[in-house]
Structures are given as structure tokens and as C-alpha cells.
């Protein structure tokens, strides 16, 4: 059950949602739950067969260790009946209807290229060195043709959910 602040995030229609909150707010849980809802909508959307994968969500963290919390939340709350395969080695979830969810580190911003994204979640953004470069790469992926809801054959409108505690503050 989301608290009042998380409800604001879930009710927002913004394309890019930013959660700037202190410790124990539930930023990761809110981001993962919001991501699951949007990703399932993308999975259920009728799309051209050239969209490979059918729906794609990346979860990005500053380091692999920080990504662990999002990975655990994803595995706990993503509907099991939609999962076709889970790789703990690559932190990848494959779903029915050709969806893929991947967890990545922002350690090397140049590795965050080459695919179109329906959704990206960035956790602890303030702790990502070179965040501007990371965001430039990811935003370009979100504008890939056909990505995002209702964008068949059009310029992409993928979404982003970004969360962080301000660096050095709670």
C-alpha cells in the first residue's frame, strides 16, 4: 500500500518522474511498482513484429551492489505468471509477449547504448558519476521509434523513473 508521497508518483502522468526523498521513504519500492505497472501496459500493447524485444525496461544503479535492492524488489513483486525465464547471472527477467527487464550498472555510461527503451528506472541518481552522460545515453534510447505506450511507428516516448536521496543529505 503506497503512502501519500508514493501515491503522488503513481498518480502523476509525467513522462519523466523524479523522486527526491530521504532514507526509508520507499523510493526503490515506489519506482519498481510504478515500473511494473507501465511495463505490463507495454507488454499488452499491440505492436509491430519488428519491435524486438516487444517491451524493454532497464533498471540502472550506480554500482552492481546498489542494484541488488531493485533486483530483489523486482523478483518479489513482478507477477510470476508473466515470467518465462530469470537469469540471476545477468540479472535479466524474460516475460510473456517478448518482454525483457534488465538490471545494469552505470559504471560505464558508454555501455548504456544500442537499444530502444520503453522504460528506464535510475536508482540513487545522485551517486552516479557522470550522470549527465548516463542520462544523455538513456534519453536517446527512450526516444527510439515505436518505444513507449501508443507510439507505433512514431517517435518514441519511453518513460523514466528516477530516484535518489540528495548526496550528503537525508
Amino acid at each position: 500500500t503506497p503512502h501519500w508521497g508514493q501515491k503522488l508518483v503513481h498518480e502523476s502522468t509525467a513522462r519523466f518522474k523524479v523522486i527526491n526523498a530521504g532514507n526509508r521513504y520507499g523510493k526503490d519500492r515506489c519506482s519498481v511498482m510504478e515500473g511494473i505497472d507501465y511495463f505490463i501496459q507495454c507488454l499488452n500493447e499491440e505492436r509491430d513484429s519488428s519491435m524486438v524485444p516487444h517491451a524493454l525496461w532497464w533498471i540502472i544503479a550506480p554500482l552492481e551492489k546498489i542494484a541488488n535492492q531493485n533486483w530483489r524488489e523486482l523478483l518479489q513483486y513482478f507477477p510470476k505468471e508473466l515470467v518465462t525465464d530469470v537469469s540471476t547471472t545477468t540479472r535479466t527477467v524474460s516475460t510473456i509477449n517478448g518482454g525483457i527487464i534488465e538490471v545494469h550498472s552505470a559504471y560505464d555510461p558508454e555501455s548504456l547504448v544500442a537499444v530502444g527503451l520503453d522504460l528506464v528506472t535510475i536508482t540513487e541518481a545522485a551517486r552516479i558519476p557522470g550522470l549527465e552522460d548516463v542520462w544523455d545515453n538513456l534519453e536517446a534510447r527512450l526516444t527510439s521509434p515505436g518505444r513507449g505506450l501508443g507510439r507505433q511507428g512514431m517517435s518514441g516516448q519511453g518513460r523514466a523513473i528516477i530516484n535518489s536521496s540528495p548526496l550528503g543529505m537525508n
Side-chain angles (χ1 to χ4, degrees):
T1 304
H3 61 65
W4 68 270
Q6 293 167 327
K7 284 182 185 178
L8 292 175
V9 174
H10 296 313
E11 292 169 357
S12 169
T13 59
R15 180 176 174 215
F16 301 141
K17 299 181 182 192
V18 178
I19 305 166
N20 180 13
N23 296 333
R24 310 310 319 146
Y25 177 88
K27 298 179 294 294
D28 286 330
R29 172 84 43 91
C30 182
S31 296
V32 168
M33 298 305 280
E34 181 71 16
I36 289 171
D37 179 62
Y38 186 77
F39 183 77
I40 290 172
Q41 290 179 58
C42 290
L43 275 182
N44 289 326
E45 186 172 62
E46 197 168 310
R47 294 182 171 188
D48 187 280
S49 62
S50 66
M51 295 294 291
V52 178
H54 182 82
L56 183 57
W57 173 15
W58 277 4
I59 299 173
I60 310 292
L63 302 167
E64 296 290 333
K65 188 164 183 79
I66 295 173
N68 286 339
Q69 179 60 31
N70 282 260
W71 177 245
R72 287 188 295 268
E73 298 268 347
L74 177 67
L75 293 179
Q76 176 69 32
Y77 293 106
F78 196 84
K80 308 295 183 266
E81 64 274 13
L82 302 182
V83 175
T84 60
D85 189 46
V86 174
S87 171
T88 55
T89 306
T90 62
R91 287 195 184 120
T92 302
V93 175
S94 299
T95 72
I96 63 168
N97 296 346
I100 296 178
I101 305 167
E102 298 175 339
V103 178
H104 294 275
S105 164
Y107 178 75
D108 178 13
E110 293 308 310
S111 69
L112 303 174
V113 298
V115 298
L117 296 169
D118 291 288
L119 175 63
V120 67
T121 300
I122 303 174
T123 188
E124 292 302 342
R127 286 160 179 74
I128 295 177
L131 178 60
E132 295 80 14
D133 292 333
V134 169
W135 176 246
D136 286 345
N137 286 342
L138 294 172
E139 186 179 24
R141 309 301 112 219
L142 294 169
T143 58
S144 295
R147 292 297 176 184
L149 285 174
R151 305 308 298 175
Q152 257 192 347
M154 297 167 36
S155 173
Q157 292 290 313
R159 288 198 182 168
I161 306 162
I162 303 164
N163 78 53
S164 192
S165 296
L167 191 58
M169 307 170 99
N170 179 16

